[in-house]
Every structure is written in structure tokens, then in C-alpha cells.
């Protein structure tokens, strides 16, 4: 078996992006060359290294074995840096998805701090609120709300955050302050679009106050915050976001306090990459450092000095 190391590095790039075009761009090649390299590798190995999946290309068992060899080639090549200077292993692109609030207030400052020491690191963050994927080609890290049910993946609990009911001071002055949970039913709810909500753990308002009618709904939690501040109704908000705004008041905290967990899901091969492991550690540290704020017990955000 005569395997070309360049072919292995091309496979490594495809495994990290899930697409030939993205891998070609990262390597400075064209799509045809990437396709030809993969075909050459499969011929040398005597089997398929990639299979089509909903999110792009996914490694076969043989492909996963080849990627392990490719990572060793990458490490050896990376060690051939400028004389007397050890290369930084925390480099390259890490791709992740997370909810809007987590991305802005946990991931963004964590990555910014990490990049001060590792400028060769690049992190792509796609914001979405959904269940963990069963196929995650090209994706290194997923952060989801609620414990995920996944196969062929590593899942770890990151920590918890609190949600509560909030209203603007102007809204309460005009419409009155609810004194009981039952009185919340007289006010419109600002929250997620019910028909589009994919995460069962986020159904708390409809479970706790089922007669509360929708006022303004959105798939984006930042819209929830700003709509609540504008007086569109009473918002069910993460406390770490609601507490940042002095014009918002938390209502009935003893009765409405929903504690939800953040979980992180990774491909089994992702943690072998130093860059992914570093981002994971940075996220965990950020969560631990701001635990009280996430639980609604403090008003200092990660971005605060």
C-alpha cells in the first residue's frame, strides 16, 4: 500500500469542513483536485473513506483510521517550524453551534481571551436553538440546552442557567405588576415561536402558565429581550441576559425560576485536535467563572471589566 501523505492531508481538511469546496479553499486547491486526491487515497487504501451525509461528507470507518494517520502527518509537518521556535499546536479553524445567548456571552469572550495567546486559532460560531444533531460532519462542537440523546459522540454537561419572567418598568407602570402566577395570564408572553421550538426543555412558560397568550414571539432570544424592554409584554428570559438591563424587573422569582443545563456535544475525533480541546476548556472555564451570574445571582457579565 503506497499512500501519499498529501492525500491524507486533503482527507483531513474534508473531515473538518464536510465539503470539498470548503476544504479546497482552506488548502488553496480547486474542487477537482480535492476530488482527485480523495479518489487516489481510496484507491491506495482499497475502500471508501467518505460517505454522503445530510450535512456533507462523513468519514467511514476506514476514513476515520486514515484521519488518525493524517493528524500524525500534520503534527510532524507542523513541527518543522522556524528554527528555535516551537509551533503553536492551537491553530486552525474550530466550528461550533450554540444558542444565541451562550454564543454572545460565553463563547465570544472565551474565544477572544484564548486568541490573545493563540492568534492562529479561528472559531466559527453558528447560532441556533435546536436538539443535538445525529450527523455532525464538519462541526466540532455543539452546545445545546438539555441533555442530548446522541450516538457516536461525546456529550458533557457544561453547567446551568436560570430563566425567569421579566417586564419593563414602563410596561408595569402602564399595565400593573402581576402579584401571582395566575395574574400572569392577563399579560402577553414574549418568547419563542411555539410551533418552531425544537427543545422540549424550553417549554416552561407554556407548562407553568398555559393560559398566557403569545404577544410577540421570535426564534432569537435577543429579540425576546428587546421586545420585553420595548413593552411588548412579559418576557421569559435567561436571567444572565435580563439582569443586564436596569429597565427590566424580574417578576415572581420564587414562583417562576426555571433551571436548565447547557450540554456540549463533540465528535469522538474532535478532542484529539489541540485547537478543539483548547476551545472546550475555555468554554468550561468561562461557565465556571460566571456561574453566579448565569444562575441569576449577580449582574456582572463576562464582558465586564
Amino acid at each position: 500500500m503506497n499512500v501519499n501523505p498529501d492525500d491524507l492531508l486533503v482527507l483531513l481538511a474534508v473531515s473538518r469542513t464536510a465539503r470539498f469546496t470548503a476544504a479546497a479553499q482552506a488548502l488553496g486547491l480547486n474542487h477537482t483536485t480535492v476530488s482527485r486526491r480523495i479518489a487516489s487515497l481510496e484507491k491506495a487504501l482499497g475502500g471508501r473513506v467518505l460517505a454522503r451525509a445530510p450535512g456533507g461528507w462523513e468519514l467511514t470507518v476506514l476514513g476515520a483510521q486514515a484521519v488518525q494517520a493524517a493528524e500524525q502527518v500534520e503534527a510532524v509537518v507542523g513541527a518543522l517550524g522556524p528554527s528555535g521556535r516551537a509551533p503553536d499546536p492551537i491553530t486552525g479553524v474550530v466550528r461550533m453551534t450554540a444558542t444565541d445567548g451562550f454564543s454572545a456571552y460565553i463563547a465570544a469572550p472565551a474565544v477572544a481571551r484564548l486568541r490573545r495567546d493563540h492568534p492562529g486559532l479561528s472559531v466559527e460560531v453558528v447560532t441556533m436553538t435546536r436538539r443535538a444533531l445525529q450527523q455532525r460532519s464538519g462541526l466540532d462542537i455543539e452546545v445545546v440546552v438539555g441533555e442530548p440523546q446522541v450516538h457516536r459522540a461525546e456529550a458533557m454537561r457544561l453547567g446551568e442557567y436560570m430563566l425567569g419572567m421579566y417586564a419593563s418598568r414602563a410596561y408595569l407602570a402602564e399595565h400593573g405588576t402581576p402579584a401571582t402566577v395566575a395574574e400572569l395570564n392577563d399579560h402577553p408572553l414574549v418568547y419563542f415561536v411555539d410551533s418552531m421550538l425544537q427543545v422540549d426543555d424550553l417549554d416552561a412558560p407554556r407548562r407553568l402558565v398555559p393560559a398566557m397568550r403569545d404577544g410577540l414571539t421570535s426564534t432569537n432570544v435577543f429579540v425576546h429581550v428587546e421586545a420585553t424592554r420595548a413593552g411588548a409584554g412579559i418576557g421569559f428570559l435567561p436571567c444572565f441576559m435580563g439582569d443586564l438591563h436596569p429597565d427590566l424587573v424580574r417578576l415572581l422569582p420564587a414562583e417562576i425560576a426555571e433551571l436548565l443545563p447547557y450540554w456540549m456535544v463533540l465528535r469522538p475525533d474532535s478532542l484529539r485536535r489541540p485547537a478543539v480541546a483548547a476551545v472546550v476548556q475555555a468554554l468550561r472555564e468561562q461557565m465556571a467563572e460566571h456561574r453566579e451570574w448565569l444562575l441569576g445571582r449577580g449582574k456582572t457579565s463576562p464582558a465586564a471589566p
Side-chain angles (χ1 to χ4, degrees):
M1 179 174 61
N2 187 14
V3 176
N4 187 332
D6 288 337
D7 295 346
L8 287 172
L9 292 175
V10 169
L11 174 65
L12 184 60
V14 174
S15 75
R16 290 173 176 172
T17 63
R19 289 175 173 81
F20 283 10
T21 50
Q25 185 177 11
L27 296 170
L29 304 173
N30 58 49
H31 179 280
T32 303
T33 301
V34 169
S35 181
R36 180 167 50 79
R37 292 283 196 181
I38 295 298
S40 172
L41 180 62
E42 289 182 331
K43 183 177 179 181
L45 295 177
R48 298 293 302 276
V49 295
L50 294 170
R52 284 199 176 276
W57 292 99
E58 188 175 61
L59 293 171
T60 64
V61 174
L62 179 61
Q65 294 172 349
V67 160
Q68 291 187 37
E71 288 171 339
Q72 295 176 27
V73 172
E74 182 184 53
V76 171
V77 172
L80 301 175
S83 178
R85 209 164 113 200
D88 185 358
I90 301 174
T91 187
V93 179
V94 174
R95 294 174 174 84
M96 66 175 289
T97 65
T99 61
D100 301 307
F102 185 97
S103 297
Y105 293 111
I106 299 297
V111 170
R113 185 160 57 181
L114 186 61
R115 287 199 71 258
R116 292 188 191 108
D117 296 324
H118 307 285
L121 173 68
S122 174
V123 179
E124 296 178 359
V125 182
V126 177
T127 61
M128 53 187 62
T129 302
R130 67 181 185 192
R131 299 185 187 93
L133 297 172
Q134 293 303 324
Q135 304 284 347
R136 54 189 54 79
S137 297
L139 188 61
D140 297 302
I141 301 169
E142 286 182 277
V143 177
V144 298
V145 175
E147 184 173 359
Q149 303 299 318
V150 292
H151 308 287
R152 294 185 297 171
E154 300 284 341
M156 59 183 74
R157 191 184 180 99
L158 272 174
E160 298 171 319
Y161 73 106
M162 184 72 73
L163 297 97
M165 290 291 189
Y166 287 80
S168 71
R169 297 182 189 278
Y171 176 90
L172 296 174
E174 181 178 354
H175 299 281
T177 301
T180 65
V181 173
E183 289 182 14
L184 289 172
N185 291 317
D186 299 328
H187 299 266
L189 173 68
V190 177
Y191 198 50
F192 285 104
V193 181
D194 190 29
S195 62
M196 300 179 69
L197 187 60
Q198 299 183 29
V199 181
D200 294 340
D201 292 61
L202 289 171
D203 70 351
R206 278 99 187 190
R207 172 169 42 82
L208 298 172
V209 198
M212 198 174 183
R213 68 189 187 280
D214 287 342
L216 187 151
T217 56
S218 171
T219 57
N220 188 306
V221 72
F222 284 98
V223 175
H224 304 169
V225 173
E226 294 307 316
T228 303
R229 296 181 69 198
I234 292 179
F236 188 63
L237 308 175
C239 295
F240 68 85
M241 298 179 72
D243 289 345
L244 293 177
H245 301 283
D247 56 332
L248 292 182
V249 177
R250 186 174 175 189
L251 306 173
L252 306 168
E255 293 86 357
I256 305 288
E258 187 77 1
L259 191 63
L260 294 179
Y262 280 127
W263 281 75
M264 184 161 44
V265 182
L266 305 99
R267 295 201 318 266
D269 59 300
S270 288
L271 276 174
R272 293 203 303 268
R273 289 181 57 202
V276 175
V279 172
V280 167
Q281 184 60 27
L283 295 176
R284 298 183 79 164
E285 290 174 358
Q286 193 78 5
M287 286 287 295
E289 183 178 345
H290 297 283
R291 181 175 181 274
E292 295 300 301
W293 173 66
L294 289 162
L295 295 176
R297 299 174 187 159
K299 305 214 173 195
T300 303
S301 76

